[in-house]
Amino acid sequence: MPFHNPYHFVPVRKEDRIDDLKVSEFKNGGRGELGNVTHDRYSENCFSGRLVCRLESETPFVVGGQQHSDPEGREPTIVDQFEIGDFPAIPATTIRGMLSSIVEAASNSALRVLQDQTYSFRKTPQEAMHHIGMIIKKGSDDYRLRPLCKFRFDPRIRGMVSGGCIRLQLANPGRFSTFKFDDQKFYYLSKDVDDPTTVEPISEAEYRSRVSKQPRERDNYERGFLRVMWNPERQAEFAELGRKYELFIFWDQGEDGDLDAERGLLKVANEAINRFHVLADLRSDHRESDGPLLPFQPSGTERGSDETLRLRTGDLVYYRTADRDGNLVNEVSFSSIWRDLVRGPNDPVDKPDTTFDFFKAVDPELIPFNSDRKLITIAEQMFGFVQSSATEDQVHANDDEPQLSLAGRILPSAGMLHSLRRTDGTLQQPKSMEECLDLNPADDGFTLLRALSAPKPPSPALYFKKPDDTFIAKKNLNSTSCRPHGRKFYIHDRSNEVRPWATRHSQERRNLKMKVKPVKGGAVFYFHIDFSNLSTAELAALIFAVRPYLEYWHKLGLGKPLGLGTVRLDPVGLFLVDRANRYSADGVLSSRYGTVWKSSVLWDDKIPDIYELEKKAEPNMPDDDLENIRSCFSSSVSSEISSALSVLGNPNNVTQPVRYPVIRGQDPEEETFKWFVANETARQSLNRISNLGLPTLNEL
């Protein structure tokens, strides 16, 4: 069955932008062709004033205010709706972000907010490691490894057999300890059993007690130590995966052991250590805030004071060797199937591909403003920017060079509630907060949202593309041959399902969910946007951002991929201030607004009283003039970008169910990894948007 992914992308392109400003001119006071990009003066032939807008919700929405978290991390977070004066409201920052995202995408400007992430991916079972060894650290950068046991495939039994170790099914793994070099615990395993995998080893103290009473028992036991991966935080996961075995590693070489002796040690390549530490840090960074520490390690493995995981002497790891003689270890991990870094085939491990690398491969001017940038894009000119460091190497490279920044010249107000639309289409004035909310009949009016555990980057089938649009296997993702799809936009779900954002499993994964009271669909808000010193193209871009196309709806707030947050924006009045006249003798006493446009359809006596001054201004700009201003920007938007925006913003293009990828018959609230595993064979990719409509994916 086909379905729509909850998000798609507006493409990014090489150059093809509108009204870039050279950094060199900006440093010189902005007195270039675009000399209006400043706050110290008003420029000729530029626009200042106010744009009054109306926002109406089509679906319920939540814009978060105060949050209340469970101190024990077990219950959902309660998110209050943002409010002003005891009624729901929309923060100015939310409106600003909604408008700036449209200007950025349409003008192909730099991505002003973009986190630079290092990506990793899970390896396939075919890439599993089958050898286990012990890390022996000889110096700060000198890591060795003691080989301990190996697994190999035996075609006679069509299974894995081991040498040097055995799998044990421990009834109570929590009673046993993984080997630690500074607390060496050895165990003894009886030889005199039919199935040694079901027999639990005994401690050294119990072994000595037995052989003291029966000396001949000494030959019935083999000495070794344990590698225990069981962890109380992983019980549910172990049960789901059917994992029930731990490892007993035989070691009879001396009563005290000589595990760190020089003989027999293998050299561990620095690349292997670096890869392990980078991946371990990535997993720690990506864990849920209240979730267990990642990556999972053998019980008893120690972390640093900052919870980072660094390899120490005595750590038991899976490993792989690189050379034919097997003397150089080039990969280590705590699991046989772990992860690898996204990077080019010839790139060093300490230079993996990051988010910035993928966008820089399209155009270096697309990443957030940094010292390497040569241009300031129109969205940055309008909404402002703060210089960041593109790479860590640049943090202190130019300490004497001033960091560039610019405050925006677009200043939205908060969106204030005006009225609620009745079922017959008329408007009513609400008398209380409760009237404005979409209340759940149960749970004290709260709605428990579905968990937002979406597939995150890199997920190549969704986030990246090749020039020929062929499928990208995870191991083949790199910034040399692959490109990002673009800027993420959420599509509008016009599902017939009642409240699709509400969870159907209220008792599962509660700590990952939020309790909210959304604002109703049909809530009408008004806000205004004060602007100053805008060029014709910038004013046109602002008007375009409010209503890019006739059939265009915006998204805002929490739960956008779940169906919340579809809203309609309309400009209702444009009021321009003639700055030169205002500073003249006659202008001091004249009307504030010179040129005025009021919507012949939407401007009426129901406009909120806070716009009393605007109500008095007489319109002298025909409707066609506003459209002419808007076209100064819209006509410059590339056809590819325009097509993607118009398709994504129109709910009528949604022809199939909207949900994250799941396999056939799977509950939509379950994790999506099963679809991605199946897709390694099916090789589906998220197609580019065209005028033909919104692409779909298929269940697998």
Side-chain angles (χ1 to χ4, degrees):
M1 179 179 176
F3 63 92
H4 293 298
N5 196 53
Y7 55 82
H8 211 298
F9 300 86
V10 175
V12 289
R13 298 165 58 86
K14 171 69 175 174
E15 298 174 351
D16 197 15
R17 285 188 299 275
I18 302 167
D19 282 353
D20 285 340
L21 171 64
K22 292 180 180 178
V23 172
S24 58
E25 291 183 352
F26 178 72
K27 288 181 177 179
N28 195 32
R31 293 179 173 83
E33 226 174 277
L34 303 174
N36 62 308
V37 186
T38 181
H39 293 275
D40 64 359
R41 63 190 178 278
Y42 291 113
S43 301
E44 289 185 310
N45 302 318
C46 286
F47 300 94
S48 299
R50 171 171 289 186
L51 180 62
V52 179
C53 302
R54 188 180 76 165
L55 181 153
E56 181 170 351
S57 59
E58 176 168 308
T59 67
F61 71 87
V62 179
V63 178
Q66 189 172 358
Q67 297 191 10
H68 312 275
S69 300
D70 175 19
E72 297 183 0
R74 297 178 181 175
E75 291 300 309
T77 297
I78 297 175
V79 182
D80 294 336
Q81 170 65 39
F82 180 81
E83 59 183 77
I84 297 177
D86 297 326
F87 285 99
I90 303 170
T93 51
T94 297
I95 293 172
R96 190 172 186 270
M98 187 166 53
L99 298 175
S100 65
S101 65
I102 298 293
V103 175
E104 275 186 22
S107 63
N108 197 36
S109 287
L111 291 90
R112 296 167 52 253
V113 180
L114 180 67
Q115 185 179 358
D116 193 22
Q117 292 182 293
T118 299
Y119 297 134
S120 70
F121 60 91
R122 186 167 180 79
K123 293 190 171 187
T124 64
Q126 291 72 27
E127 299 172 286
M129 293 182 282
H130 302 301
H131 304 337
I132 294 176
M134 179 180 290
I135 293 292
I136 306 293
K137 194 175 179 182
K138 293 293 185 180
S140 59
D141 295 317
D142 184 7
Y143 290 82
R144 310 290 179 89
L145 182 138
R146 168 76 62 201
L148 295 174
C149 67
K150 299 182 178 181
F151 287 88
R152 63 177 178 82
F153 181 77
D154 187 339
R156 292 174 299 176
I157 63 171
R158 300 185 63 80
M160 303 297 290
V161 295
S162 63
C165 61
I166 190 171
R167 288 191 175 101
L168 295 182
Q169 187 173 348
L170 302 177
N172 186 0
R175 291 197 306 111
F176 298 91
S177 300
T178 294
F179 181 87
K180 295 171 61 176
F181 217 81
D182 55 359
D183 182 21
Q184 300 185 9
K185 289 187 178 179
F186 289 92
Y187 295 91
Y188 290 79
L189 194 65
S190 175
K191 301 177 186 177
D192 191 20
V193 291
D194 294 331
D195 184 3
T197 64
T198 62
V199 177
E200 293 198 352
I202 61 174
S203 67
E204 189 148 18
E206 187 176 352
Y207 166 75
R208 293 186 185 279
S209 174
R210 289 188 183 186
V211 298
S212 66
K213 298 174 182 177
Q214 297 288 339
R216 286 182 294 181
E217 284 284 299
R218 186 184 301 271
D219 295 334
N220 289 335
Y221 287 91
E222 292 186 271
R223 180 173 180 259
F225 48 84
L226 287 168
R227 179 182 184 272
V228 181
M229 287 297 291
W230 180 88
N231 186 305
E233 295 175 325
R234 301 189 70 187
Q235 289 187 70
E237 183 182 356
F238 276 22
E240 182 181 347
L241 297 174
R243 192 185 188 286
K244 53 189 177 183
Y245 292 106
E246 309 296 349
L247 283 179
F248 183 90
I249 300 170
F250 298 108
W251 189 258
D252 281 327
Q253 300 181 26
E255 284 293 310
D256 299 321
D258 53 355
L259 285 161
D260 60 345
E262 288 288 340
R263 59 181 177 78
L265 295 183
L266 306 181
K267 172 69 177 174
V268 183
N270 289 337
E271 179 178 333
I273 300 299
N274 291 340
R275 179 197 284 120
F276 177 90
H277 290 157
V278 170
L279 286 168
D281 289 346
L282 280 177
R283 299 300 289 157
S284 296
D285 291 344
H286 289 173
R287 75 186 181 101
E288 300 289 345
S289 59
D290 53 356
L293 288 173
L294 296 176
F296 289 115
Q297 75 252 17
S299 64
T301 303
E302 295 183 2
R303 290 177 178 260
S305 57
D306 57 355
E307 296 187 343
T308 56
L309 193 58
R310 293 294 179 263
L311 289 172
R312 303 168 182 242
T313 294
D315 285 343
L316 300 174
V317 296
Y318 282 88
Y319 72 94
R320 192 193 318 273
T321 55
D323 57 338
R324 181 177 299 177
D325 297 328
N327 294 322
L328 180 66
V329 175
N330 72 331
E331 188 174 356
V332 295
S333 80
F334 282 140
S335 57
S336 61
I337 305 172
W338 202 32
R339 308 185 73 84
D340 205 350
L341 294 165
V342 170
R343 57 194 172 108
N346 300 316
D347 292 342
V349 71
D350 59 345
K351 297 293 183 184
D353 285 335
T354 69
T355 310
F356 283 10
D357 291 323
F358 282 98
F359 281 95
K360 284 167 68 176
V362 179
D363 187 345
E365 299 296 331
L366 286 171
I367 65 172
F369 195 86
N370 61 84
S371 58
D372 287 339
R373 291 273 304 278
K374 301 295 187 292
L375 301 169
I376 303 173
T377 58
I378 189 172
E380 292 169 313
Q381 297 169 44
M382 293 172 63
F383 294 93
F385 66 87
V386 175
Q387 181 172 320
S388 63
S389 298
T391 66
E392 290 189 13
D393 297 338
Q394 296 171 343
V395 173
H396 301 295
N398 298 305
D399 284 342
D400 297 331
E401 182 82 11
Q403 300 289 293
L404 297 182
S405 61
L406 176 69
R409 289 170 292 134
I410 307 292
L411 301 173
S413 72
M416 306 296 289
L417 180 70
H418 175 262
S419 53
L420 300 174
R421 191 171 296 281
R422 299 186 181 96
T423 54
D424 63 2
T426 59
L427 297 175
Q428 68 177 25
Q429 298 296 315
K431 296 180 181 178
S432 69
M433 181 74 168
E434 295 299 300
E435 281 187 77
C436 308
L437 302 178
D438 180 63
L439 298 176
N440 182 15
D443 204 5
D444 295 328
F446 282 102
T447 295
L448 185 61
L449 298 182
R450 290 163 51 186
L452 289 169
S453 52
K456 299 177 178 63
S459 302
L462 301 183
Y463 282 87
F464 295 91
K465 64 184 179 183
K466 282 186 174 181
D468 59 0
D469 289 332
T470 56
F471 175 77
I472 304 172
K474 291 181 291 187
K475 64 180 181 180
N476 295 331
L477 178 63
N478 63 77
S479 63
T480 302
S481 61
C482 307
R483 295 290 179 267
H485 258 304
R487 308 167 205 262
K488 181 190 286 188
F489 276 71
Y490 290 96
I491 67 175
H492 302 281
D493 183 2
R494 279 189 164 168
S495 170
N496 292 325
E497 183 181 349
V498 177
R499 301 159 66 88
W501 45 84
T503 183
R504 295 181 178 179
H505 307 289
S506 59
Q507 300 306 313
E508 298 176 10
R509 300 197 296 165
R510 289 179 62 82
N511 61 317
L512 300 181
K513 297 174 181 178
M514 294 182 290
K515 291 177 72 171
V516 299
K517 293 180 179 179
V519 177
K520 289 179 178 178
V524 177
F525 296 77
Y526 281 87
F527 65 92
H528 60 265
I529 307 162
D530 288 332
F531 55 89
S532 61
N533 236 16
L534 298 188
S535 67
T536 302
E538 289 172 333
L539 178 59
L542 178 60
I543 296 170
F544 178 90
V546 173
R547 173 61 70 78
Y549 307 96
L550 182 62
E551 296 294 320
Y552 191 94
W553 280 256
H554 292 72
K555 278 275 198 177
L556 91 166
L558 301 175
K560 290 188 285 288
L562 305 179
L564 291 170
T566 292
V567 299
R568 177 85 167 188
L569 267 63
D570 290 287
V572 296
L574 176 66
F575 307 87
L576 299 179
V577 177
D578 186 339
R579 290 298 182 187
N581 181 59
R582 292 285 290 167
Y583 280 91
S584 69
D586 294 336
V588 173
L589 300 177
S590 64
S591 172
R592 175 177 179 80
Y593 299 115
T595 304
V596 174
W597 169 85
K598 292 182 178 180
S599 169
S600 58
V601 177
L602 299 176
W603 188 277
D604 53 33
D605 57 1
K606 296 185 179 64
I607 298 297
D609 292 339
I610 58 172
Y611 297 113
E612 194 62 41
L613 187 62
E614 288 81 350
K615 287 182 178 180
K616 295 178 181 178
E618 292 296 327
N620 54 22
M621 178 191 293
D623 283 353
D624 288 349
D625 283 7
L626 187 74
E627 182 56 35
N628 289 337
I629 294 175
R630 181 183 174 281
S631 66
C632 293
F633 179 82
S634 60
S635 61
S636 301
V637 180
S638 81
S639 59
E640 183 184 18
I641 290 175
S642 180
S643 174
L645 267 177
S646 61
V647 168
L648 284 168
N650 187 348
N652 296 318
N653 291 317
V654 178
T655 59
Q656 302 295 338
V658 178
R659 60 168 177 258
Y660 286 115
V662 292
I663 60 173
R664 189 172 295 116
Q666 181 184 350
D667 190 311
E669 293 195 51
E670 291 181 14
E671 294 186 17
T672 60
F673 74 90
K674 294 179 181 179
W675 186 90
F676 288 93
V677 172
N679 197 46
E680 288 296 306
T681 301
R683 302 173 70 84
Q684 288 190 76
S685 295
L686 197 60
N687 294 330
R688 305 181 200 212
I689 295 176
S690 68
N691 289 323
L692 298 178
L694 198 59
T696 59
L697 295 167
N698 290 313
E699 287 182 344
L700 298 174

